[in-house]
């Protein structure tokens, strides 16, 4: 059993900052790529940022230079530092990870958290 749990969401004024966290727990051999997604009401889920096991990162154009993704492989955690937040950043934010549960590669699968709400007021 593997679980991803997000935290850190909330209500913030435009221009403010929030840091989201994601913790993976359960039977974990190794965690490959991790990512943050978000979904605003009435819109499709979109990729916000990704980070590889070795720390390589990528960002959507809409958050580049404002958000910073990081991870701690020793603690099976991932964070998303969000700065200069805008009302259009309002969404439910989800963490996702490719997790391998044993040394057998066949046990690798994609897992999702339940989401944490971020609301940015203007």
């Amino acid at each position: 059993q593997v679980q991803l749990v997000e935290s850190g969401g909330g209500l913030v004024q435009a221009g403010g900052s929030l840091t989201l966290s994601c913790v993976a727990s359960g039977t974990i051999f190794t965690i490959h790529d991790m990512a943050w997604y978000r979904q605003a009401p009435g819109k499709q889920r979109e990729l916000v940022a990704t980070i590889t096991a070795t720390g390589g990162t990528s960002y959507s154009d809409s958050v580049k230079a404002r958000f910073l993704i990081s991870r701690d492989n020793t603690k099976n955690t991932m964070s998303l530092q969000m700065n200069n937040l805008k009302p259009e950043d309002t969404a439910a934010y989800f963490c996702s990870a490719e997790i391998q549960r044993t040394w057998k590669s066949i046990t690798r699968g994609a897992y999702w958290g339940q989401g944490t709400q971020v609301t940015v007021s203007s």
Side-chain angles (χ1 to χ4, degrees), residues 73-114:
N73 292 334
T74 66
K75 298 179 180 179
N76 291 339
T77 60
M78 175 178 64
S79 295
L80 184 69
Q81 181 179 334
M82 305 185 294
N83 301 314
N84 190 22
L85 283 161
K86 304 176 180 181
E88 52 264 42
D89 294 318
T90 295
Y93 283 71
F94 300 86
C95 70
S96 175
E98 288 282 329
I99 296 176
Q100 187 170 327
R101 292 183 288 110
T102 74
W103 64 270
K104 296 180 179 180
S105 60
I106 197 172
T107 63
R108 177 172 174 168
Y111 294 86
W112 291 84
Q114 81 290 346

Side-chain angles (χ1 to χ4, degrees), residues 64-78:
K64 201 171 293 184
R66 298 189 297 123
F67 290 11
L68 180 66
I69 189 172
S70 61
R71 63 188 285 173
D72 184 336
N73 292 334
T74 66
K75 298 179 180 179
N76 291 339
T77 60
M78 175 178 64

Side-chain angles (χ1 to χ4, degrees), residues 3-9 19-24 35-38 45 78-80 92-97 111-118:
Q3 277 192 321
L4 295 178
V5 178
E6 304 98 332
S7 62
T19 298
L20 306 183
S21 297
C22 174
V23 179
W36 287 98
Y37 287 77
R38 67 186 182 187
R45 189 170 296 190
M78 175 178 64
S79 295
L80 184 69
Y93 283 71
F94 300 86
C95 70
S96 175
Y111 294 86
W112 291 84
Q114 81 290 346
T116 186
Q117 179 67 36
V118 172

